[in-house]
Amino acid sequence: MTARLLALVAGLTMYGWGCALVVLAGLGVDPWTVLAQGIAIQTGWGVGWVTNLVGLAVLLLWIPLRQRPGLGTIANIALVGTALQISLTLIAPPQTPIMRALFLIAGVTVVGMASGIYIGARFGPGPRDGLMTGLHARFGWPLWACRAIVEATVLVAGILLGGTVGIGTVVFAATIGPAVHASVAIVDRIRAAARMRRLAGPRALSAVRSAASRSRDASSRGGRSSRPPSTGKCP
Protein backbone atom coordinates (compact mmCIF):
# COMPACT_ATOMS: atom_id res chain seq x y z
CA MET A 1 0.00 0.00 0.00
CA THR A 2 2.80 2.42 0.91
CA ALA A 3 4.63 1.66 -2.33
CA ARG A 4 1.45 2.29 -4.31
CA LEU A 5 0.89 5.63 -2.59
CA LEU A 6 4.47 6.68 -3.31
CA ALA A 7 4.04 5.65 -6.94
CA LEU A 8 0.82 7.69 -7.17
CA VAL A 9 2.41 10.84 -5.75
CA ALA A 10 5.60 10.45 -7.77
CA GLY A 11 3.71 9.76 -10.98
CA LEU A 12 1.37 12.74 -10.66
CA THR A 13 4.22 15.06 -9.69
CA MET A 14 6.24 13.90 -12.69
CA TYR A 15 3.17 14.41 -14.87
CA GLY A 16 2.93 18.04 -13.84
CA TRP A 17 6.65 18.52 -14.42
CA GLY A 18 6.38 16.99 -17.90
CA CYS A 19 3.44 19.26 -18.74
CA ALA A 20 5.54 22.24 -17.65
CA LEU A 21 8.31 21.27 -20.07
CA VAL A 22 5.79 21.11 -22.90
CA VAL A 23 4.35 24.50 -21.94
CA LEU A 24 7.81 26.07 -21.71
CA ALA A 25 8.71 24.72 -25.15
CA GLY A 26 6.12 27.14 -26.56
CA LEU A 27 5.35 24.90 -29.54
CA GLY A 28 1.81 23.95 -28.58
CA VAL A 29 0.31 21.83 -25.82
CA ASP A 30 -2.31 19.14 -25.34
CA PRO A 31 -6.01 20.11 -25.58
CA TRP A 32 -6.65 20.29 -21.81
CA THR A 33 -3.61 22.51 -21.28
CA VAL A 34 -4.72 24.68 -24.23
CA LEU A 35 -7.94 25.26 -22.28
CA ALA A 36 -6.04 25.96 -19.06
CA GLN A 37 -3.75 28.39 -20.89
CA GLY A 38 -6.71 30.20 -22.40
CA ILE A 39 -8.42 30.59 -19.04
CA ALA A 40 -5.12 31.71 -17.48
CA ILE A 41 -4.70 34.38 -20.16
CA GLN A 42 -8.22 35.68 -19.58
CA THR A 43 -8.03 35.65 -15.77
CA GLY A 44 -4.35 36.27 -15.03
CA TRP A 45 -4.18 33.14 -12.88
CA GLY A 46 -1.32 30.65 -13.14
CA VAL A 47 -1.73 27.82 -15.66
CA GLY A 48 -1.09 25.24 -12.96
CA TRP A 49 -3.73 26.62 -10.61
CA VAL A 50 -6.20 26.78 -13.50
CA THR A 51 -5.39 23.14 -14.28
CA ASN A 52 -6.41 22.19 -10.74
CA LEU A 53 -9.65 24.18 -11.03
CA VAL A 54 -10.48 22.64 -14.40
CA GLY A 55 -9.93 19.18 -12.91
CA LEU A 56 -12.32 20.04 -10.08
CA ALA A 57 -14.93 21.34 -12.55
CA VAL A 58 -14.62 18.16 -14.62
CA LEU A 59 -15.09 16.10 -11.47
CA LEU A 60 -18.47 17.79 -10.95
CA LEU A 61 -19.52 16.47 -14.35
CA TRP A 62 -19.10 12.96 -12.94
CA ILE A 63 -22.23 13.45 -10.80
CA PRO A 64 -24.84 13.06 -13.57
CA LEU A 65 -22.73 10.25 -15.06
CA ARG A 66 -22.86 8.41 -11.71
CA GLN A 67 -19.11 8.00 -11.55
CA ARG A 68 -17.30 7.55 -8.24
CA PRO A 69 -13.92 9.22 -7.71
CA GLY A 70 -11.05 7.32 -6.16
CA LEU A 71 -8.03 8.48 -4.23
CA GLY A 72 -6.17 8.79 -7.52
CA THR A 73 -8.85 11.14 -8.84
CA ILE A 74 -8.53 13.54 -5.92
CA ALA A 75 -4.73 13.33 -5.93
CA ASN A 76 -4.72 14.11 -9.65
CA ILE A 77 -6.68 17.30 -9.08
CA ALA A 78 -4.42 18.39 -6.22
CA LEU A 79 -0.97 17.45 -7.52
CA VAL A 80 -0.73 17.78 -11.30
CA GLY A 81 -1.53 21.47 -11.53
CA THR A 82 0.51 22.26 -8.43
CA ALA A 83 3.58 20.50 -9.80
CA LEU A 84 3.01 22.23 -13.13
CA GLN A 85 2.85 25.67 -11.53
CA ILE A 86 5.92 25.13 -9.35
CA SER A 87 7.90 23.79 -12.32
CA LEU A 88 6.98 26.82 -14.44
CA THR A 89 8.30 29.02 -11.65
CA LEU A 90 11.58 27.14 -11.21
CA ILE A 91 12.55 26.21 -14.79
CA ALA A 92 13.78 28.87 -17.19
CA PRO A 93 12.18 28.73 -20.65
CA PRO A 94 14.40 27.61 -23.56
CA GLN A 95 15.81 30.32 -25.79
CA THR A 96 16.77 28.47 -28.98
CA PRO A 97 14.71 26.36 -31.42
CA ILE A 98 16.78 23.27 -30.63
CA MET A 99 16.25 23.66 -26.90
CA ARG A 100 12.53 24.22 -27.41
CA ALA A 101 12.32 21.01 -29.42
CA LEU A 102 14.26 19.15 -26.72
CA PHE A 103 11.92 20.52 -24.06
CA LEU A 104 8.95 19.26 -26.07
CA ILE A 105 10.42 15.79 -26.54
CA ALA A 106 11.47 15.57 -22.90
CA GLY A 107 8.05 16.76 -21.74
CA VAL A 108 6.13 14.19 -23.75
CA THR A 109 8.52 11.45 -22.57
CA VAL A 110 8.15 12.43 -18.91
CA VAL A 111 4.34 12.62 -19.20
CA GLY A 112 4.30 9.15 -20.77
CA MET A 113 6.50 7.70 -18.02
CA ALA A 114 4.51 9.45 -15.31
CA SER A 115 1.24 8.11 -16.71
CA GLY A 116 2.49 4.54 -16.48
CA ILE A 117 3.60 5.08 -12.89
CA TYR A 118 0.39 6.64 -11.56
CA ILE A 119 -1.90 4.37 -13.59
CA GLY A 120 0.06 1.40 -12.25
CA ALA A 121 -0.69 2.54 -8.70
CA ARG A 122 -4.35 1.69 -9.41
CA PHE A 123 -6.07 4.29 -7.29
CA GLY A 124 -8.64 5.30 -9.89
CA PRO A 125 -8.63 7.44 -13.05
CA GLY A 126 -8.00 11.15 -13.25
CA PRO A 127 -11.02 13.43 -13.66
CA ARG A 128 -10.57 13.82 -17.43
CA ASP A 129 -10.20 10.12 -18.15
CA GLY A 130 -13.07 9.40 -15.80
CA LEU A 131 -15.28 11.80 -17.77
CA MET A 132 -14.60 9.87 -20.96
CA THR A 133 -15.18 6.46 -19.38
CA GLY A 134 -18.30 7.84 -17.72
CA LEU A 135 -19.72 8.98 -21.06
CA HIS A 136 -18.92 5.56 -22.48
CA ALA A 137 -20.69 3.79 -19.61
CA ARG A 138 -23.69 6.14 -19.59
CA PHE A 139 -24.42 6.41 -23.30
CA GLY A 140 -22.63 3.42 -24.79
CA TRP A 141 -20.50 5.52 -27.14
CA PRO A 142 -17.11 4.09 -28.15
CA LEU A 143 -14.25 5.29 -25.95
CA TRP A 144 -12.41 6.78 -28.92
CA ALA A 145 -15.51 8.80 -29.82
CA CYS A 146 -15.91 10.04 -26.23
CA ARG A 147 -12.26 11.11 -26.17
CA ALA A 148 -12.51 12.78 -29.56
CA ILE A 149 -15.66 14.73 -28.65
CA VAL A 150 -14.36 15.88 -25.26
CA GLU A 151 -10.87 16.84 -26.44
CA ALA A 152 -12.13 18.57 -29.58
CA THR A 153 -14.52 20.61 -27.43
CA VAL A 154 -11.89 21.71 -24.92
CA LEU A 155 -9.38 22.38 -27.71
CA VAL A 156 -11.75 24.73 -29.54
CA ALA A 157 -12.66 26.46 -26.28
CA GLY A 158 -8.98 26.86 -25.42
CA ILE A 159 -8.14 28.30 -28.83
CA LEU A 160 -10.96 30.83 -28.56
CA LEU A 161 -9.62 31.88 -25.16
CA GLY A 162 -6.06 32.31 -26.50
CA GLY A 163 -4.37 28.99 -25.67
CA THR A 164 -1.26 27.86 -27.56
CA VAL A 165 -1.72 25.43 -30.44
CA GLY A 166 1.09 24.34 -32.74
CA ILE A 167 3.31 21.49 -33.81
CA GLY A 168 3.65 20.50 -30.17
CA THR A 169 -0.09 19.80 -30.04
CA VAL A 170 0.25 17.41 -32.98
CA VAL A 171 3.39 15.76 -31.57
CA PHE A 172 1.73 15.28 -28.19
CA ALA A 173 -1.39 13.77 -29.72
CA ALA A 174 0.60 11.42 -31.96
CA THR A 175 3.14 10.18 -29.41
CA ILE A 176 1.51 10.24 -25.99
CA GLY A 177 -0.49 7.05 -26.62
CA PRO A 178 2.53 4.88 -27.49
CA ALA A 179 4.55 6.51 -24.68
CA VAL A 180 1.89 5.67 -22.08
CA HIS A 181 1.48 2.15 -23.46
CA ALA A 182 5.21 1.48 -23.22
CA SER A 183 5.39 2.94 -19.72
CA VAL A 184 2.45 0.87 -18.45
CA ALA A 185 4.05 -2.27 -19.90
CA ILE A 186 7.35 -1.52 -18.14
CA VAL A 187 5.61 -0.85 -14.82
CA ASP A 188 3.64 -4.09 -15.16
CA ARG A 189 6.84 -6.06 -15.79
CA ILE A 190 8.54 -4.47 -12.78
CA ARG A 191 5.52 -5.26 -10.58
CA ALA A 192 5.42 -8.87 -11.85
CA ALA A 193 9.14 -9.32 -11.14
CA ALA A 194 8.75 -7.89 -7.63
CA ARG A 195 5.81 -10.22 -6.98
CA MET A 196 7.85 -13.20 -8.12
CA ARG A 197 10.67 -12.21 -5.78
CA ARG A 198 8.26 -11.89 -2.87
CA LEU A 199 6.78 -15.28 -3.60
CA ALA A 200 10.15 -16.89 -4.20
CA GLY A 201 11.54 -15.68 -0.86
CA PRO A 202 9.25 -17.70 1.45
CA ARG A 203 9.41 -20.69 -0.89
CA ALA A 204 13.20 -20.68 -0.91
CA LEU A 205 13.31 -20.36 2.87
CA SER A 206 10.86 -23.23 3.22
CA ALA A 207 12.97 -25.37 0.86
CA VAL A 208 16.13 -24.65 2.87
CA ARG A 209 14.38 -25.55 6.12
CA SER A 210 13.03 -28.78 4.62
CA ALA A 211 16.47 -29.74 3.34
CA ALA A 212 18.02 -29.02 6.74
CA SER A 213 15.34 -31.08 8.45
CA ARG A 214 15.92 -34.02 6.10
CA SER A 215 19.66 -33.74 6.67
CA ARG A 216 19.19 -33.87 10.47
CA ASP A 217 16.90 -36.87 10.17
CA ALA A 218 19.39 -38.68 7.96
CA SER A 219 22.23 -37.93 10.37
CA SER A 220 20.17 -39.15 13.29
CA ARG A 221 19.33 -42.43 11.57
CA GLY A 222 22.94 -42.90 10.51
CA GLY A 223 24.17 -42.32 14.06
CA ARG A 224 21.82 -44.91 15.50
CA SER A 225 22.76 -47.55 12.94
CA SER A 226 26.51 -47.08 13.52
CA ARG A 227 26.39 -47.94 17.27
CA PRO A 228 27.36 -51.60 18.12
CA PRO A 229 24.56 -53.85 19.28
CA SER A 230 24.10 -54.18 23.03
CA THR A 231 25.04 -57.57 24.66
CA GLY A 232 23.43 -56.86 27.96
CA LYS A 233 26.81 -57.37 29.75
CA CYS A 234 29.03 -54.87 31.40
CA PRO A 235 32.28 -54.30 29.58
Side-chain angles (χ1 to χ4, degrees):
M1 183 68 168
T2 302
R4 290 173 59 208
L5 285 171
L6 290 175
L8 176 68
V9 173
L12 293 174
T13 302
M14 285 177 60
Y15 194 103
W17 176 48
C19 286
L21 294 177
V22 177
V23 171
L24 289 169
L27 298 173
V29 294
D30 66 280
W32 285 102
T33 308
V34 172
L35 177 62
Q37 276 188 326
I39 296 174
I41 289 171
Q42 298 301 319
T43 61
W45 302 338
V47 175
W49 308 133
V50 173
T51 297
N52 287 347
L53 293 174
V54 168
L56 182 60
V58 171
L59 183 60
L60 296 178
L61 296 176
W62 284 31
I63 296 174
L65 297 175
R66 300 174 184 175
Q67 292 284 94
R68 284 189 172 186
L71 177 60
T73 313
I74 306 303
N76 187 298
I77 295 172
L79 293 177
V80 171
T82 303
L84 168 58
Q85 189 64 41
I86 293 173
S87 298
L88 290 176
T89 303
L90 297 177
I91 303 174
Q95 301 299 321
T96 65
I98 293 178
M99 287 303 299
R100 292 170 70 187
L102 290 176
F103 264 54
L104 174 62
I105 294 170
V108 173
T109 302
V110 170
V111 168
M113 292 172 56
S115 298
I117 293 171
Y118 91 77
I119 290 172
R122 299 179 182 178
F123 278 109
R128 298 157 187 82
D129 289 335
L131 174 62
M132 297 169 196
T133 56
L135 289 171
H136 167 70
R138 187 77 171 83
F139 300 107
W141 301 340
L143 277 174
W144 66 265
C146 296
R147 178 176 291 276
I149 292 170
V150 170
E151 293 194 347
T153 301
V154 300
L155 179 62
V156 171
I159 292 172
L160 294 176
L161 292 170
T164 304
V165 177
I167 186 64
T169 308
V170 178
V171 170
F172 193 99
T175 60
I176 192 61
V180 173
H181 179 79
S183 179
V184 169
I186 292 171
V187 170
D188 284 345
R189 283 198 294 269
I190 293 173
R191 181 184 293 110
R195 187 181 300 115
M196 289 296 293
R197 284 195 297 270
R198 288 196 300 270
L199 292 175
R203 289 176 180 173
L205 181 59
S206 177
V208 169
R209 288 175 175 171
S210 297
S213 177
R214 287 194 298 270
S215 177
R216 287 194 300 269
D217 291 343
S219 298
S220 176
R221 288 195 297 271
R224 287 195 299 269
S225 62
S226 64
R227 289 196 298 268
S230 175
T231 61
K233 299 179 180 180
C234 294

